[in-house]
Amino acid sequence: GDSVTQMEGPVTLSEEAFLTINCTYTATGYPSLFWYVQYPGEGLQLLLKATKADDKGSNKGFEATYRKETTSFHLEKGSVQVSDSAVYFCALRAKAAGNKLTFGGGTRVLVKP
Amino acid sequence: AAGVIQSPRHLIKEKRETATLKCYPIPRHDTVYWYQQGPGQDPQFLISFYEKMQSDKGSIPDRFSAQQFSDYHSELNMSSLELGDSALYFCASSRYDSGKENIQYFGAGTRLSVL
């Protein structure tokens, strides 16, 4: 079945550090890929997406590139802020399996001043 | 902009009781999804509705049922509650658009505690 694997947290960083969260997937065909962010006590917010190979999603300084060869969608940000502290979820939508999202286990990121 | 509204935000129930969670999608969205997120877990897909018809079914227990009404809001009914049903329940909505990625927008969730 479809699955998403992402690096376990927590990831603790200092402000202005470089952030990478690894995400790999298994799916039939070519899924759409997403990163969602969950701030404390809140729901999931779409951070960025990519719908086909080599697409790069970007938003709020975050980037992720859809790599078909390595079935990966790693999230990166060059300089994190304290406000980026949250749980980040990688997710896929297998187009042959309807519209449901399959999520990874989430990675908690803590940015210290 | 209007978002997905879920009610209640918090709910405390005893074992074997029933609970009803409500979800009001973003205006003009025609599809509703329900997800369950256990403590420290990733969200798991339960069920979805498109134009008031069930469109997909995931790992939803038989004790749970859901429907989408004519105004597109949805309700998740949970009976014979168990301790393991304690979780954050998310609703998401999207608007079907052929040929485009139908982005799911999530509500803030309902936190259900079963005692």
Side-chain angles (χ1 to χ4, degrees):
Chain A
D2 304 327
S3 67
V4 177
T5 302
Q6 59 183 105
M7 61 189 288
E8 291 190 19
V11 174
T12 303
L13 302 165
S14 297
E15 223 170 5
E16 299 183 3
F18 185 86
L19 170 68
T20 299
I21 304 176
N22 290 339
C23 170
T24 57
Y25 66 89
T26 301
T28 305
Y30 302 109
S32 295
L33 301 173
F34 307 85
W35 277 101
Y36 278 85
V37 58
Q38 186 176 30
Y39 298 103
E42 298 185 13
L44 298 164
Q45 299 178 26
L46 179 65
L47 183 58
L48 52 84
K49 66 176 173 63
T51 58
K52 61 183 186 296
D54 300 324
D55 266 3
K56 177 187 280 188
S58 60
N59 185 27
K60 298 181 181 179
F62 290 89
E63 290 184 342
T65 300
Y66 189 142
R67 301 287 188 199
K68 185 180 67 173
E69 317 79 42
T70 54
T71 60
S72 65
F73 193 54
H74 304 322
L75 182 69
E76 296 181 338
K77 185 173 185 181
S79 177
V80 294
Q81 305 299 313
V82 173
S83 57
D84 293 324
S85 297
V87 180
Y88 292 81
F89 289 95
C90 185
L92 69 82
R93 184 181 75 82
K95 295 163 189 171
N99 286 320
K100 65 184 178 189
L101 293 173
T102 299
F103 288 89
T107 301
R108 182 175 298 278
V109 173
L110 177 60
V111 181
K112 295 186 174 180
Chain B
V4 177
I5 305 297
Q6 291 188 246
S7 68
R9 290 295 309 274
H10 303 275
L11 191 58
I12 299 175
K13 291 287 184 179
E14 302 269 340
K15 282 196 308 184
R16 292 180 288 278
E17 285 191 322
T18 61
T20 297
L21 279 53
K22 297 185 179 182
C23 170
Y24 298 86
I26 292 172
R28 292 185 294 152
H29 280 198
D30 48 26
T31 308
V32 169
Y33 312 80
W34 287 97
Y35 293 84
Q36 177 191 57
Q37 184 180 27
Q41 305 287 315
D42 56 291
Q44 294 289 320
F45 172 74
L46 293 178
I47 196 166
S48 63
F49 293 86
Y50 167 67
E51 285 290 347
K52 293 151 277 184
M53 299 288 289
Q54 181 181 307
S55 53
D56 201 355
K57 191 172 182 180
S59 50
I60 185 169
D62 292 341
R63 299 177 289 108
F64 294 6
S65 64
Q67 58 182 322
Q68 185 180 32
F69 294 84
S70 57
D71 64 351
Y72 294 99
H73 94 273
S74 178
E75 295 183 5
L76 177 66
N77 298 293
M78 311 160 71
S79 63
S80 302
L81 287 170
E82 302 174 356
L83 296 178
D85 296 328
S86 296
L88 192 54
Y89 290 83
F90 286 113
C91 173
S93 74
S94 69
R95 177 175 173 80
Y96 177 73
D97 193 341
S98 175
K100 290 187 178 180
E101 184 63 45
N102 303 150
I103 301 299
Q104 294 183 31
Y105 295 88
F106 284 75
T110 294
R111 184 169 298 282
L112 172 66
S113 298
V114 181
L115 306 178

